[in-house]
Amino acid sequence: MEKYIYNGNNGLWYELQGDYYIPCLTLGEEEKRPIGKWGRKHLRYLKEHRPVLYTVLLLGGKLSSHLAEIDIRATEIYEQLMQQMVQQNGINEQLKAKDPMAWVGAMNNIRSAAEEIVNAEVIFAW
């Protein structure tokens, strides 16, 4: 018996393993893009709550680019929200110099609010 055979009907090569021919299948190369905090959060969400979508993206070779896009979009929204909230609440360098603890508290509140908005609108909105 031949080790490899080609099936012209479906265009696949098969490899002999024991008594059976198994199709020689490989996944395409996925572009590796770095993902940050938001991309990792979205990945965890997909794995836990949307396993079918996770599998489709993974097998389609689009998971890395999807996570990178989510990370970029979430980062932009987060930074914009932070700037807007800081301006709306009048938090500035004068407050930081005058009362550092009040400034830290106010910034922590703004950061938490911005993170919650990004989580609701981008990360868990799928």
Side-chain angles (χ1 to χ4, degrees):
M1 293 179 85
E2 295 179 43
K3 176 78 172 158
Y4 292 96
I5 61 170
Y6 180 76
N7 183 337
N9 292 333
N10 61 15
L12 293 177
W13 283 93
Y14 291 83
E15 179 181 6
L16 181 63
Q17 302 218 352
D19 293 335
Y20 301 98
Y21 280 101
I22 308 295
C24 300
L25 301 175
T26 59
L27 291 175
E29 288 296 318
E30 182 178 2
E31 178 187 348
K32 297 291 181 189
R33 293 171 58 185
I35 59 170
K37 169 186 175 180
W38 303 108
R40 289 190 306 273
K41 269 184 142 176
H42 187 62
L43 175 62
R44 186 172 46 243
Y45 168 74
L46 288 175
K47 284 182 176 180
E48 293 176 7
H49 301 284
R50 301 291 305 273
V52 174
L53 178 58
Y54 168 75
T55 303
V56 167
L57 290 170
L58 180 64
L59 294 178
K62 298 178 180 176
L63 181 63
S64 181
S65 61
H66 172 74
L67 295 174
E69 289 171 14
I70 290 289
D71 189 65
I72 290 168
R73 186 169 41 162
T75 300
E76 289 171 355
I77 291 171
Y78 175 77
E79 290 174 357
Q80 184 180 21
L81 284 170
M82 286 291 293
Q83 288 176 357
Q84 289 173 353
M85 291 179 178
V86 164
Q87 289 176 355
Q88 287 175 351
N89 291 309
I91 299 172
N92 53 32
E93 291 297 318
Q94 294 168 345
L95 176 62
K96 186 176 180 181
K98 178 181 161 189
D99 191 355
M101 292 307 290
W103 180 85
V104 168
M107 290 301 290
N108 283 340
N109 287 337
I110 289 172
R111 180 184 48 78
S112 294
E115 283 184 5
E116 285 299 318
I117 292 169
V118 170
N119 283 335
E121 298 292 324
V122 181
I123 305 302
F124 307 134
W126 286 82

